[in-house]
Amino acid sequence: MTHERQAAVFGPDPWLSTGRHRLFSRLLVGIERYTDPVAVGEVLRAAEADALITTIDVQQRHSAVPLLALHDQLDLGRYVWLGTTSFAGSPDEAVATARALRSSLGIDLLKLDVRDNRQRPDTEGTLVAARGLLAEGFSVLPFIEPDVDVALTLQDLGCCAIRLMAAPVASFRGIVDPD
């Protein structure tokens, strides 16, 4: 999408500016679970998103679309690439994933997900990983349960945005607690 089209659709100002990244669309499309590059291309074009989310499963537990296959479907340079640690089971694994994303794909904007075995945010693990990643120069968007003290701590650490859990991950329940 051209800058003019972005401004027409989303307004002239990005909702997030961090480092070299500017995000206009609030729709961030995760491609880490897709296995078909054609479907990824169709979803991204239909969504008019300006960002896509990908990951590396350092434990190799999940399959995903090969990123090279996307090159034939999309002009990948048109998207801001965010990494995610959504497959990580610990703060150490989240940091390892972030480092792998940076070294292999140049990704430094990170959706930090450290979850417990119920797929809920692990507050302590998130704080540990966020501190480490911020010290390494990553731009971090941590995933937390609605908790003002934790959000303020992450803000004070320097996270560029906070993502609040509205419902358990993959529950399809919508916002469980509107307060």
Side-chain angles (χ1 to χ4, degrees):
M1 178 180 312
T2 66
H3 181 69
E4 293 78 23
R5 175 85 174 125
Q6 282 178 333
V9 172
F10 305 116
D13 300 317
W15 68 271
L16 180 67
S17 294
T18 180
R20 67 183 192 277
H21 308 294
R22 306 283 178 272
L23 297 177
F24 292 87
S25 172
R26 290 184 180 269
L27 180 60
L28 307 175
V29 179
I31 65 167
E32 64 271 15
R33 294 280 185 169
Y34 284 89
T35 56
D36 178 6
V38 173
V40 172
E42 290 172 354
V43 167
L44 286 168
R45 282 187 291 276
E48 293 190 328
D50 58 356
L52 63 87
I53 304 163
T54 191
T55 194
I56 294 172
D57 181 8
V58 295
Q59 297 296 323
Q60 299 181 353
R61 294 174 295 225
H62 306 277
S63 61
V65 64
L67 295 177
L68 288 177
L70 289 177
H71 191 312
D72 296 334
Q73 299 299 318
L74 298 165
D75 174 5
L76 295 173
R78 293 178 55 195
Y79 297 93
V80 173
W81 283 43
L82 285 85
T84 182
T85 63
S86 61
F87 295 153
S90 69
D92 290 341
E93 202 173 313
V95 170
T97 299
R99 289 174 177 157
L101 286 162
R102 177 183 271 168
S103 68
S104 63
L105 299 170
I107 293 174
D108 62 358
L109 180 56
L110 191 70
K111 217 172 81 8
L112 176 61
D113 289 34
V114 180
R115 301 184 203 154
D116 63 21
N117 59 1
R118 297 174 301 136
Q119 295 298 311
R120 299 182 73 87
D122 171 354
T123 300
E124 288 308 311
T126 298
L127 289 167
V128 166
R131 280 187 187 97
L133 293 168
L134 289 163
E136 292 185 28
F138 284 90
S139 294
V140 180
L141 295 89
F143 177 58
I144 63 170
E145 294 199 46
D147 182 314
V148 173
D149 293 331
V150 174
L152 290 172
T153 298
L154 289 163
Q155 174 184 295
D156 292 344
L157 288 173
C159 292
C160 58
I162 307 294
R163 299 167 29 252
L164 297 178
M165 183 181 81
V169 173
S171 70
F172 305 104
R173 292 174 55 196
I175 297 175
V176 175
D177 182 359
D179 293 333

Coordinates of all heavy atoms in Angstrom, one line a residue, residues 26-90:
R26 N -4.0 -0.7 12.4 CA -3.9 -1.4 13.7 C -4.1 -2.9 13.5 O -4.0 -3.6 14.5 CB -5.0 -0.8 14.6 CG -4.7 0.6 15.0 CD -5.7 1.1 16.0 NE -5.3 2.5 16.4 CZ -4.6 2.8 17.4 NH1 -4.1 1.9 18.1 NH2 -4.3 4.1 17.7
L27 N -4.3 -3.4 12.3 CA -4.4 -4.8 12.1 C -3.0 -5.4 11.8 O -2.4 -5.0 10.8 CB -5.4 -5.0 10.9 CG -5.6 -6.5 10.5 CD1 -6.2 -7.3 11.7 CD2 -6.5 -6.6 9.3
L28 N -2.6 -6.2 12.7 CA -1.3 -6.9 12.5 C -1.6 -8.3 12.2 O -2.2 -9.0 13.0 CB -0.5 -6.8 13.8 CG -0.3 -5.4 14.4 CD1 0.4 -5.5 15.8 CD2 0.5 -4.5 13.5
V29 N -1.2 -8.7 11.0 CA -1.5 -10.1 10.5 C -0.4 -11.1 10.9 O 0.7 -10.9 10.4 CB -1.8 -10.1 9.0 CG1 -2.1 -11.5 8.5 CG2 -2.9 -9.1 8.7
G30 N -0.7 -12.0 11.7 CA 0.2 -13.1 12.0 C 0.2 -14.2 11.0 O -0.8 -14.7 10.6
I31 N 1.4 -14.5 10.5 CA 1.5 -15.6 9.4 C 2.2 -16.8 10.0 O 2.4 -17.8 9.2 CB 2.2 -15.1 8.2 CG1 3.7 -14.7 8.5 CG2 1.5 -13.8 7.6 CD1 4.6 -14.5 7.3
E32 N 2.4 -16.9 11.3 CA 3.2 -18.0 11.8 C 2.5 -19.3 11.8 O 3.2 -20.3 11.9 CB 3.7 -17.6 13.2 CG 2.7 -17.4 14.3 CD 2.2 -16.0 14.4 OE1 2.4 -15.2 13.5 OE2 1.5 -15.7 15.4
R33 N 1.2 -19.3 11.6 CA 0.5 -20.6 11.6 C 0.0 -21.0 10.2 O -0.5 -22.1 10.0 CB -0.8 -20.5 12.5 CG -0.5 -20.3 13.9 CD -0.2 -21.7 14.6 NE 0.0 -21.5 16.0 CZ 0.1 -22.5 16.8 NH1 0.0 -23.7 16.4 NH2 0.3 -22.3 18.1
Y34 N 0.2 -20.1 9.2 CA -0.1 -20.5 7.8 C 0.9 -21.4 7.3 O 2.1 -21.4 7.6 CB -0.2 -19.2 7.0 CG -1.4 -18.3 7.1 CD1 -1.4 -17.3 8.1 CD2 -2.5 -18.5 6.4 CE1 -2.5 -16.5 8.3 CE2 -3.6 -17.7 6.5 CZ -3.6 -16.7 7.5 OH -4.7 -15.9 7.6
T35 N 0.4 -22.3 6.4 CA 1.3 -23.2 5.7 C 1.2 -23.0 4.1 O 2.0 -23.6 3.4 CB 0.9 -24.7 6.0 OG1 -0.4 -24.9 5.6 CG2 1.2 -25.0 7.4
D36 N 0.3 -22.1 3.7 CA 0.1 -21.9 2.3 C 0.5 -20.5 1.9 O -0.2 -19.5 2.3 CB -1.3 -22.2 1.9 CG -1.7 -21.9 0.4 OD1 -0.7 -21.6 -0.4 OD2 -2.8 -22.0 0.1
P37 N 1.5 -20.2 1.1 CA 2.0 -18.9 0.8 C 0.9 -18.1 0.0 O 0.8 -16.9 0.1 CB 3.3 -19.1 0.0 CG 3.2 -20.5 -0.4 CD 2.4 -21.2 0.5
V38 N 0.1 -18.8 -0.8 CA -0.9 -18.1 -1.6 C -2.0 -17.5 -0.6 O -2.4 -16.4 -0.8 CB -1.6 -19.0 -2.6 CG1 -2.8 -18.4 -3.3 CG2 -0.5 -19.5 -3.6
A39 N -2.3 -18.3 0.4 CA -3.3 -17.8 1.4 C -2.8 -16.6 2.1 O -3.5 -15.6 2.4 CB -3.7 -18.9 2.4
V40 N -1.5 -16.6 2.5 CA -0.9 -15.5 3.2 C -1.0 -14.2 2.3 O -1.4 -13.2 2.8 CB 0.6 -15.8 3.5 CG1 1.3 -14.5 4.1 CG2 0.7 -16.9 4.6
G41 N -0.7 -14.4 1.0 CA -0.8 -13.2 0.1 C -2.2 -12.7 0.1 O -2.4 -11.5 0.1
E42 N -3.1 -13.6 -0.1 CA -4.5 -13.2 -0.2 C -5.0 -12.5 1.1 O -5.7 -11.4 1.0 CB -5.4 -14.4 -0.5 CG -5.2 -14.9 -1.9 CD -6.0 -16.3 -2.1 OE1 -6.6 -16.8 -1.1 OE2 -5.9 -16.7 -3.2
V43 N -4.7 -13.0 2.3 CA -5.1 -12.4 3.5 C -4.5 -11.0 3.7 O -5.1 -10.1 4.0 CB -4.7 -13.3 4.7 CG1 -4.8 -12.6 6.0 CG2 -5.5 -14.6 4.7
L44 N -3.2 -10.9 3.4 CA -2.5 -9.6 3.6 C -3.1 -8.5 2.6 O -3.3 -7.4 3.0 CB -1.0 -9.7 3.4 CG -0.3 -10.4 4.6 CD1 1.1 -10.7 4.2 CD2 -0.3 -9.5 5.8
R45 N -3.3 -8.9 1.4 CA -3.9 -8.0 0.4 C -5.3 -7.6 0.8 O -5.7 -6.4 0.8 CB -3.8 -8.5 -1.0 CG -2.5 -8.5 -1.6 CD -2.5 -8.9 -3.1 NE -2.7 -10.3 -3.3 CZ -1.8 -11.2 -3.2 NH1 -0.5 -10.9 -3.0 NH2 -2.1 -12.5 -3.4
A46 N -6.1 -8.5 1.2 CA -7.5 -8.2 1.6 C -7.6 -7.4 2.9 O -8.4 -6.5 3.0 CB -8.3 -9.5 1.8
A47 N -6.7 -7.6 3.8 CA -6.6 -6.9 5.1 C -6.1 -5.4 4.9 O -6.4 -4.6 5.8 CB -5.8 -7.6 6.1
E48 N -5.4 -5.2 3.8 CA -4.7 -3.9 3.6 C -3.9 -3.5 4.8 O -3.7 -2.4 5.2 CB -5.7 -2.8 3.3 CG -6.4 -2.9 2.0 CD -7.2 -1.7 1.6 OE1 -7.7 -1.0 2.5 OE2 -7.3 -1.4 0.4
A49 N -3.3 -4.6 5.4 CA -2.4 -4.4 6.6 C -1.1 -3.9 6.1 O -0.7 -4.1 5.0 CB -2.2 -5.7 7.3
D50 N -0.4 -3.2 7.0 CA 1.0 -2.7 6.6 C 2.0 -3.5 7.4 O 3.2 -3.2 7.3 CB 1.1 -1.2 6.8 CG 0.8 -0.7 8.2 OD1 0.4 -1.5 9.1 OD2 1.0 0.5 8.4
A51 N 1.6 -4.4 8.2 CA 2.5 -5.2 9.0 C 2.2 -6.7 9.0 O 1.0 -7.0 8.8 CB 2.5 -4.7 10.4
L52 N 3.2 -7.5 9.0 CA 3.0 -8.9 9.2 C 3.9 -9.4 10.3 O 4.9 -8.9 10.6 CB 3.2 -9.7 7.9 CG 4.6 -9.7 7.3 CD1 5.5 -10.8 7.8 CD2 4.5 -9.8 5.8
I53 N 3.4 -10.5 10.9 CA 4.1 -11.1 12.1 C 4.6 -12.4 11.7 O 3.8 -13.2 11.2 CB 3.1 -11.1 13.3 CG1 2.5 -9.8 13.6 CG2 3.8 -11.7 14.5 CD1 1.3 -9.8 14.5
T54 N 5.8 -12.7 12.0 CA 6.3 -14.0 11.8 C 7.2 -14.5 13.0 O 7.5 -13.6 13.8 CB 7.1 -14.1 10.5 OG1 7.4 -15.5 10.2 CG2 8.4 -13.3 10.6
T55 N 7.6 -15.7 13.0 CA 8.4 -16.2 14.1 C 9.3 -17.3 13.6 O 9.2 -17.8 12.5 CB 7.6 -16.7 15.3 OG1 8.5 -16.8 16.4 CG2 6.9 -18.0 15.0
I56 N 10.2 -17.7 14.4 CA 11.0 -18.9 14.2 C 10.8 -19.7 15.5 O 10.9 -19.3 16.6 CB 12.5 -18.5 14.2 CG1 12.8 -17.7 12.9 CG2 13.4 -19.7 14.2 CD1 14.2 -17.1 12.8
D57 N 10.4 -21.0 15.2 CA 10.2 -21.9 16.3 C 11.5 -22.6 16.7 O 11.9 -23.5 16.0 CB 9.1 -22.9 15.9 CG 8.8 -23.9 17.0 OD1 9.3 -23.7 18.2 OD2 8.1 -24.9 16.8
V58 N 12.2 -22.0 17.7 CA 13.5 -22.5 18.0 C 13.5 -24.0 18.5 O 14.5 -24.7 18.4 CB 14.2 -21.6 19.0 CG1 14.5 -20.3 18.4 CG2 13.5 -21.5 20.3
Q59 N 12.3 -24.4 18.9 CA 12.2 -25.8 19.4 C 11.7 -26.7 18.2 O 11.5 -27.9 18.4 CB 11.2 -25.9 20.6 CG 11.7 -25.2 21.8 CD 13.0 -25.8 22.3 OE1 13.2 -27.0 22.3 NE2 13.9 -24.9 22.8
Q60 N 11.3 -26.1 17.1 CA 10.8 -26.9 15.9 C 9.6 -27.8 16.2 O 9.5 -28.9 15.8 CB 12.0 -27.7 15.3 CG 13.1 -26.8 14.8 CD 14.2 -27.5 14.2 OE1 14.3 -28.7 14.1 NE2 15.2 -26.8 13.6
R61 N 8.7 -27.2 16.9 CA 7.4 -27.9 17.3 C 6.3 -27.6 16.3 O 5.3 -28.3 16.3 CB 7.0 -27.5 18.7 CG 7.9 -28.0 19.8 CD 7.5 -27.4 21.1 NE 7.6 -26.0 21.1 CZ 8.1 -25.2 22.1 NH1 8.5 -25.8 23.2 NH2 8.1 -23.9 21.9
H62 N 6.4 -26.5 15.6 CA 5.3 -26.1 14.7 C 5.8 -25.9 13.3 O 7.0 -25.5 13.0 CB 4.8 -24.7 15.2 CG 4.4 -24.7 16.6 ND1 3.1 -25.1 17.0 CD2 5.0 -24.3 17.7 CE1 3.0 -25.0 18.3 NE2 4.2 -24.5 18.8
S63 N 5.0 -26.2 12.3 CA 5.3 -25.9 10.9 C 4.7 -24.6 10.5 O 3.7 -24.2 11.0 CB 4.9 -27.0 10.0 OG 3.5 -27.1 10.1
A64 N 5.3 -23.9 9.5 CA 4.8 -22.7 9.0 C 5.2 -22.5 7.5 O 6.0 -23.3 7.0 CB 5.4 -21.5 9.8
V65 N 4.6 -21.5 6.9 CA 5.0 -21.3 5.5 C 6.4 -20.9 5.4 O 6.9 -20.1 6.2 CB 4.0 -20.2 4.9 CG1 4.3 -18.9 5.5 CG2 4.2 -20.1 3.4
P66 N 7.2 -21.5 4.4 CA 8.5 -21.0 4.2 C 8.6 -19.6 3.8 O 7.8 -19.2 2.8 CB 9.1 -22.0 3.1 CG 8.1 -23.1 3.1 CD 6.8 -22.6 3.6
L67 N 9.3 -18.8 4.4 CA 9.3 -17.3 4.1 C 9.8 -17.1 2.7 O 9.3 -16.1 2.0 CB 10.2 -16.6 5.1 CG 9.7 -16.6 6.5 CD1 10.7 -15.9 7.5 CD2 8.3 -16.0 6.6
L68 N 10.7 -17.9 2.1 CA 11.1 -17.7 0.8 C 9.9 -17.9 -0.2 O 9.9 -17.2 -1.3 CB 12.2 -18.6 0.4 CG 13.6 -18.3 1.0 CD1 14.6 -19.4 0.6 CD2 14.1 -16.9 0.6
A69 N 9.0 -18.7 0.1 CA 7.8 -18.9 -0.7 C 6.9 -17.7 -0.8 O 6.2 -17.5 -1.8 CB 7.0 -20.1 -0.2
L70 N 7.0 -16.8 0.2 CA 6.2 -15.6 0.2 C 6.7 -14.6 -0.8 O 5.9 -13.8 -1.3 CB 6.2 -15.0 1.6 CG 5.4 -15.7 2.7 CD1 5.6 -15.0 4.0 CD2 4.0 -15.9 2.3
H71 N 8.0 -14.7 -1.1 CA 8.6 -13.7 -2.0 C 7.9 -13.8 -3.4 O 7.7 -12.7 -4.0 CB 10.1 -14.1 -2.2 CG 10.8 -13.0 -2.9 ND1 10.4 -12.5 -4.1 CD2 12.0 -12.4 -2.7 CE1 11.3 -11.6 -4.5 NE2 12.3 -11.6 -3.7
D72 N 7.4 -14.9 -3.8 CA 6.6 -15.0 -5.1 C 5.2 -14.5 -5.0 O 4.6 -14.2 -6.0 CB 6.6 -16.5 -5.5 CG 7.9 -17.1 -5.8 OD1 8.9 -16.3 -6.1 OD2 8.1 -18.3 -5.7
Q73 N 4.7 -14.3 -3.8 CA 3.3 -13.9 -3.6 C 3.2 -12.4 -3.3 O 2.1 -11.8 -3.5 CB 2.7 -14.7 -2.5 CG 2.6 -16.2 -2.7 CD 1.8 -16.5 -3.9 OE1 0.7 -15.9 -4.2 NE2 2.3 -17.4 -4.8
L74 N 4.2 -11.8 -2.7 CA 4.1 -10.5 -2.1 C 5.3 -9.7 -2.4 O 6.4 -10.2 -2.5 CB 3.9 -10.5 -0.6 CG 2.6 -11.2 -0.1 CD1 2.8 -11.5 1.4 CD2 1.4 -10.3 -0.3
D75 N 5.2 -8.4 -2.4 CA 6.3 -7.5 -2.3 C 6.6 -7.3 -0.8 O 6.0 -6.4 -0.1 CB 6.0 -6.1 -2.9 CG 7.1 -5.1 -2.8 OD1 8.2 -5.5 -2.2 OD2 6.9 -4.0 -3.2
L76 N 7.4 -8.1 -0.2 CA 7.6 -8.2 1.2 C 8.2 -6.9 1.8 O 8.1 -6.6 3.0 CB 8.5 -9.4 1.6 CG 7.9 -10.7 1.3 CD1 8.9 -11.8 1.6 CD2 6.6 -10.9 2.1
G77 N 8.9 -6.1 0.9 CA 9.4 -4.8 1.4 C 8.3 -3.8 1.7 O 8.6 -2.7 2.3
R78 N 7.1 -4.0 1.3 CA 6.0 -3.1 1.6 C 5.5 -3.3 3.0 O 4.6 -2.5 3.5 CB 4.9 -3.4 0.6 CG 5.2 -3.0 -0.8 CD 4.1 -3.2 -1.8 NE 2.9 -2.6 -1.3 CZ 1.7 -2.8 -1.8 NH1 1.5 -3.8 -2.7 NH2 0.6 -2.2 -1.4
Y79 N 5.9 -4.3 3.7 CA 5.4 -4.6 5.1 C 6.4 -4.3 6.1 O 7.6 -4.6 6.0 CB 4.9 -6.0 5.2 CG 3.8 -6.3 4.2 CD1 4.1 -6.8 2.9 CD2 2.5 -6.1 4.6 CE1 3.0 -7.1 2.0 CE2 1.5 -6.3 3.7 CZ 1.7 -6.8 2.4 OH 0.7 -7.1 1.5
V80 N 6.0 -3.8 7.3 CA 6.8 -3.8 8.5 C 6.7 -5.3 9.0 O 5.6 -5.8 9.2 CB 6.3 -2.8 9.5 CG1 7.0 -2.9 10.8 CG2 6.3 -1.4 9.0
W81 N 7.9 -5.8 9.3 CA 7.9 -7.2 9.8 C 8.1 -7.1 11.3 O 9.0 -6.5 11.8 CB 9.1 -7.9 9.2 CG 8.9 -8.4 7.8 CD1 8.3 -7.7 6.8 CD2 9.3 -9.7 7.3 NE1 8.3 -8.5 5.7 CE2 8.9 -9.7 6.0 CE3 9.9 -10.8 7.8 CZ2 9.1 -10.8 5.1 CZ3 10.1 -11.9 7.0 CH2 9.7 -11.9 5.7
L82 N 7.2 -7.8 12.0 CA 7.3 -7.9 13.4 C 7.6 -9.4 13.7 O 7.1 -10.3 13.1 CB 6.0 -7.6 14.1 CG 5.5 -6.2 14.3 CD1 4.8 -5.7 13.0 CD2 4.6 -6.0 15.5
G83 N 8.4 -9.6 14.7 CA 8.7 -10.9 15.2 C 7.7 -11.2 16.3 O 7.2 -10.3 17.0
T84 N 7.5 -12.5 16.6 CA 6.7 -12.8 17.8 C 7.4 -14.0 18.4 O 8.0 -14.8 17.8 CB 5.3 -13.2 17.4 OG1 4.6 -13.5 18.6 CG2 5.1 -14.4 16.5
T85 N 7.2 -14.1 19.7 CA 7.7 -15.2 20.5 C 6.6 -16.1 20.9 O 6.7 -16.8 21.9 CB 8.5 -14.7 21.7 OG1 7.6 -14.0 22.6 CG2 9.7 -13.8 21.3
S86 N 5.6 -16.1 20.1 CA 4.3 -16.8 20.5 C 4.5 -18.3 20.7 O 3.7 -19.0 21.4 CB 3.2 -16.6 19.5 OG 3.6 -17.1 18.2
F87 N 5.6 -18.9 20.2 CA 5.8 -20.3 20.4 C 6.7 -20.6 21.6 O 7.0 -21.7 22.0 CB 6.5 -21.0 19.2 CG 5.6 -21.0 17.9 CD1 6.2 -21.0 16.7 CD2 4.2 -21.0 18.0 CE1 5.4 -21.0 15.5 CE2 3.4 -21.0 16.9 CZ 4.0 -21.0 15.7
A88 N 7.2 -19.5 22.2 CA 8.2 -19.6 23.3 C 7.5 -20.1 24.6 O 6.4 -19.6 24.9 CB 8.9 -18.3 23.6
G89 N 8.1 -21.0 25.3 CA 7.6 -21.5 26.6 C 8.2 -20.9 27.8 O 7.9 -21.3 28.9
S90 N 9.2 -20.0 27.6 CA 9.9 -19.5 28.8 C 10.6 -18.2 28.4 O 10.7 -17.9 27.2 CB 11.0 -20.4 29.2 OG 12.1 -20.5 28.3

